[in-house]
Amino acid sequence: MAQIGKGFPEGFLWGGATAANQLEGGFHEGNKGLNIADVLPGGKDRLKILATPGFDFEIHEDKYYYPNHEAIDFYHRYKEDIALFAEMGFKVFRMSIAWTRIFPKGDELEPNEEGLAFYDRVFDELHKHGIEPVVTISHYEMPVHLVKEYGGWRNRKVVTFFERYVTAIFNRYKGKVKYWMTFNEINSGLMMPIMGLGFAIQKEEDKYGPTFQAYHHQFVASAKAVKLCHELMPEAKIGCMIIYAPVYSYDCNPENVMYALEQENIFNYFCADVQVRGEYPAFIKRYFKEHNIELEMEDGDLEIIKEGTVDYIGFSYYMSRTEKKDKSDLEGITGNIMQGVKNPFLKASDWGWEIDPIGLRISLNKLYGRYGVPLFVVENGLGAYDKVEEDGSINDDYRIDYLREHIKQMAEAIEDGVDLMGYTSWGCIDLVSASTGEMSKRYGFIYVDKHDDGSGTLERKKKKSFFWYKKVIDSNGRDLD
Ligand code: BG6
């Protein structure tokens, strides 16, 4: 048995991670309203839509297939799925609540009882199996009505609507949920505002003023949620959630090192600085000045942000990013969805995401060194094509290798002194990819018979990694063979 250091602490939170829009389906059931994921098509156009100005947030059934409408039908199959998570020994299950199940349009005054009752059933089922839910309050699931009528998070009114939503779920689920996170990958809005900030860039200058105004509203909304959580559930923990990809300089040219640092500041630290330290960092003030950004704030906003700092940092880690200021002399510059340049020392997944387990140890050390609050790796995993053999088995050794190397680096980081609460690998059951809408980009320990064109029986099958992860959890991360 491969033993790593002293291993993981007692009570380490092993589990898996998902998001409502990527697994539930039932997009019209229980009075649910339309959310952003419901209007994003599958296939190649999704990434294009996310990256190009002018998206209309409409469904065009004549042109596209919408994979999130049925997703993997967790809405009806949650009992079967949770039993499988329990069989693997999950201590926690990361999921999100679809805002549109609770407030279908987003601006109603009263919550939708059917939606609230659905999550009661899910939480009860998890507890029946001894699994604690870890709940993301908003995971790329903003009501489309708020996008169309109000312009998404650019509009201050959305803070009030979000507060109403949060109050409803906190009051309903206090006692059932101990771990919360406010906005999934909050910093992703800097790259893809549609999913995180609820508006499409219409013209170039939207990237500046409106984006940061929307962020200000999210920070206030997040801080209010943190304060309310602490008041209503003093025993609960509430975190922020960011994408973290350490930024490496392409070489030791100070120009490139400085450029990498600037990218790291704005992308990796801006949101976390506000949410963990409770104030806008100095570097962003300079950035605002240089881009003529003046935020509209209400009296008391900065105090709310100061008082609503999070208890921990949840983050996703898939890859690192390598940066060079002047990229004109490099061919095939992009190694990653995170932009940047190709790192010659790393291999990439079939989707071009560079695989860098040591980058996870670096991330843990950097985040812990900067903030000194507990960390929680709430997403990590390999999106890959899986093959079902004739005998029905799925031998995903590549996934096991990926996860093993990342878990080893977490153990190293713990030895380095990092306070790490837990690990929930992404897409513990195959689900719809957020960036491409594909089913064929699979992350799961559990295979779901569903394909990119929507065909399939939805039958669940255990992959080889299912048995491997069970062993990892049983041994508290000591047996990684
Ligand atoms: C994160 C998101 O960006 O990465 C998830 O929080 C997403 O929603 C995951 O699914 C993996 O990305 P993708 O595009 O492969 O699904």
Side-chain angles (χ1 to χ4, degrees):
M1 188 197 289
Q3 289 241 345
I4 314 297
K6 297 196 187 73
F8 290 83
E10 272 310 298
F12 189 77
L13 303 174
W14 294 101
T18 60
N21 72 86
Q22 292 172 260
L23 92 162
E24 280 179 8
F27 89 116
H28 269 335
E29 290 182 63
N31 288 327
K32 180 183 157 294
L34 270 192
N35 65 36
I36 289 173
D38 293 326
V39 298
L40 289 175
K44 289 202 175 54
D45 279 356
R46 182 181 287 218
L47 256 184
K48 216 171 12 174
I49 284 171
L50 293 173
T52 326
F55 180 51
D56 62 3
F57 294 91
E58 294 286 345
I59 293 182
H60 301 278
E61 256 160 357
D62 49 324
K63 222 160 107 193
Y64 294 126
Y65 163 67
Y66 291 86
N68 300 67
H69 291 187
E70 184 187 48
I72 60 155
D73 195 31
F74 179 83
Y75 190 69
H76 297 108
R77 294 164 196 253
Y78 65 93
K79 288 191 180 173
E80 180 193 344
D81 294 341
I82 291 171
L84 289 166
F85 302 150
E87 197 181 324
M88 275 187 278
F90 279 20
K91 313 288 181 212
V92 290
F93 173 56
R94 177 177 173 226
M95 53 180 277
S96 65
I97 293 179
W99 187 348
T100 48
R101 287 204 188 282
I102 312 301
F103 287 92
K105 288 164 76 181
D107 58 358
E108 298 91 337
L109 293 175
E110 295 301 326
N112 168 35
E113 176 54 34
E114 275 196 73
L116 287 167
F118 169 66
Y119 293 107
D120 264 328
R121 294 196 292 277
V122 173
F123 297 145
D124 291 347
E125 193 65 22
L126 287 165
H127 285 128
K128 195 173 103 190
H129 289 280
I131 301 174
E132 283 294 337
V134 174
V135 174
T136 320
I137 297 171
S138 181
H139 191 132
Y140 301 152
E141 286 145 350
M142 183 177 208
V144 166
H145 177 73
L146 297 187
V147 172
K148 288 191 179 163
E149 287 298 310
Y150 298 90
W153 279 99
R154 283 174 298 185
N155 192 324
R156 175 82 196 197
K157 287 190 182 134
V158 174
V159 177
T160 308
F161 302 143
F162 186 77
E163 215 179 335
R164 213 176 279 156
Y165 162 53
V166 167
T167 306
I169 58 175
F170 282 178
N171 278 316
R172 179 75 168 225
Y173 306 126
K174 60 175 184 240
K176 287 195 184 184
V177 179
K178 281 198 216 148
Y179 302 101
W180 297 90
M181 281 176 282
T182 53
F183 294 97
N184 180 63
E185 295 189 332
I186 186 165
N187 50 337
S188 71
L190 293 163
M191 285 192 312
M192 294 185 295
I194 290 180
M195 295 205 295
L197 299 174
F199 70 93
I201 298 280
Q202 302 297 345
K203 33 187 186 10
E204 190 56 21
E205 56 277 23
D206 278 356
K207 275 197 198 142
Y208 300 105
T211 296
F212 288 97
Q213 189 61 52
Y215 267 120
H216 179 69
H217 295 150
Q218 282 198 334
F219 295 146
V220 172
S222 173
K224 284 182 170 211
V226 171
K227 283 177 71 176
L228 188 65
C229 177
H230 289 155
E231 276 160 37
L232 292 176
M233 297 173 268
E235 73 298 344
K237 302 262 174 255
I238 183 160
C240 60
M241 195 311 196
I242 58 169
I243 308 185
Y244 194 90
V247 185
Y248 305 150
S249 172
Y250 183 72
D251 56 22
C252 54
N253 178 344
E255 293 272 356
N256 291 331
V257 176
M258 189 62 224
Y259 184 70
L261 174 65
E262 280 168 2
Q263 298 305 309
E264 180 135 278
N265 273 346
I266 185 116
F267 193 76
N268 285 346
Y269 296 129
F270 157 56
C271 295
D273 279 3
V274 179
Q275 292 183 291
V276 182
R277 293 174 164 168
E279 52 194 44
Y280 279 90
F283 67 79
I284 206 72
K285 292 182 185 156
R286 173 173 180 176
Y287 186 90
F288 287 169
K289 210 151 93 200
E290 288 175 356
H291 292 84
N292 297 319
I293 297 168
E294 274 188 45
L295 297 184
E296 279 174 33
M297 294 195 195
E298 287 187 1
D299 286 350
D301 278 2
L302 293 178
E303 287 73 27
I304 292 169
I305 287 174
K306 191 79 200 169
E307 288 163 8
T309 55
V310 293
D311 302 319
Y312 68 94
I313 299 174
F315 70 102
S316 62
Y317 177 80
Y318 292 94
M319 61 198 125
S320 51
R321 165 177 167 193
T322 304
E323 275 297 355
K324 184 166 186 293
K325 191 168 185 187
D326 175 7
K327 303 177 179 77
S328 59
D329 58 336
L330 292 179
E331 267 178 53
I333 44 171
T334 312
N336 263 329
I337 197 170
M338 306 295 300
Q339 299 145 354
V341 300
K342 212 169 171 46
N343 184 325
F345 300 99
L346 300 175
K347 293 205 175 90
S349 77
D350 288 336
W351 279 262
W353 294 20
E354 288 173 333
I355 300 169
D356 180 10
I358 295 174
L360 178 54
R361 180 176 175 189
I362 294 169
S363 306
L364 286 161
N365 273 279
K366 282 188 159 189
L367 281 169
Y368 194 63
R370 188 176 180 104
Y371 299 110
V373 298
L375 304 178
F376 195 163
V377 178
V378 293
E379 283 188 37
N380 170 241
L382 179 70
Y385 296 107
D386 288 332
K387 182 166 175 253
V388 184
E389 304 293 346
E390 271 177 24
D391 64 0
S393 62
I394 299 135
N395 299 308
D396 54 343
D397 293 290
Y398 37 88
R399 182 167 294 110
I400 295 173
D401 291 345
Y402 177 101
L403 295 171
R404 179 192 294 117
E405 293 313 310
H406 284 78
I407 292 173
K408 278 186 189 169
Q409 295 301 324
M410 289 195 306
E412 293 290 351
I414 291 170
E415 288 289 292
D416 296 333
V418 171
D419 181 358
L420 183 58
M421 295 163 62
Y423 177 77
T424 55
S425 78
W426 176 251
C428 47
I429 180 164
D430 292 346
L431 38 64
V432 179
S433 155
S435 60
T436 68
E438 289 165 302
M439 272 306 301
S440 53
K441 189 179 188 192
R442 297 176 183 274
Y443 287 87
F445 304 114
I446 301 162
Y447 182 90
V448 178
D449 183 39
K450 174 100 195 258
H451 308 283
D452 291 346
D453 61 359
S455 64
T457 61
L458 292 165
E459 189 199 341
R460 278 60 170 153
K461 284 184 203 300
K462 298 170 195 170
K463 303 182 193 176
K464 188 171 176 184
S465 57
F466 180 100
F467 303 99
W468 174 82
Y469 196 48
K470 176 175 168 36
K471 218 169 46 155
V472 172
I473 298 178
D474 279 352
S475 66
N476 198 22
R478 285 179 176 274
D479 184 358
L480 301 175
D481 288 343

